[in-house]
Amino acid sequence: MNHNQKLTSRIGLAQRAGKLVMGEEGVIKAIRNGEAYAVIIVRDASENTRKKISDKCASYGVPLLEILDRYELGACTGKDVRVSAAVTDEGFARMIQESAKQYTEVDGID
């Protein structure tokens, strides 16, 4: 299993366990309520969405992972297209962050 597959399978597992909040408004609400342990935003998100979510993560001290694209995030969560997701479980957040780090190191993605 390559690093991308490991990453997407862990995100999918979190989704099936009900530990992902999807969509910009839901993600921002999860950050504000202290429910988000990590936030995923796709690399091809709009500047407006990226700024809104990254500012909120910065002010609440939530790790922000800029990974995948909107189709990859959608596919691994069983949806068509997704731009952002908040991970609401500490264990899943740790696993996804670990996979994201390996994914970006190995594949040379910033």
Side-chain angles (χ1 to χ4, degrees), residues 2-82:
N2 71 32
H3 294 294
N4 189 35
Q5 289 171 319
K6 188 183 253 186
L7 174 63
T8 56
S9 89
R10 286 178 170 181
I11 294 169
L13 190 60
Q15 168 69 9
R16 289 189 297 283
K19 302 299 181 186
L20 282 188
V21 174
M22 307 292 255
E24 186 178 326
E25 294 308 312
V27 167
I28 288 172
K29 185 177 174 190
I31 296 167
R32 228 185 260 132
N33 294 343
E35 298 166 0
Y37 290 94
V39 170
I40 299 165
I41 189 164
V42 296
R43 292 188 310 257
D44 57 341
S46 73
E47 281 305 311
N48 185 33
T49 299
R50 180 183 314 282
K51 180 167 175 29
K52 247 190 250 183
I53 291 176
S54 67
D55 287 354
K56 195 60 71 180
C57 283
S59 59
Y60 284 83
V62 177
L64 179 64
L65 310 171
E66 290 191 52
I67 50 175
L68 307 176
D69 67 34
R70 61 187 64 222
Y71 300 103
E72 291 170 320
L73 183 58
C76 70
T77 57
K79 311 290 183 199
D80 286 341
V81 173
R82 287 293 178 259

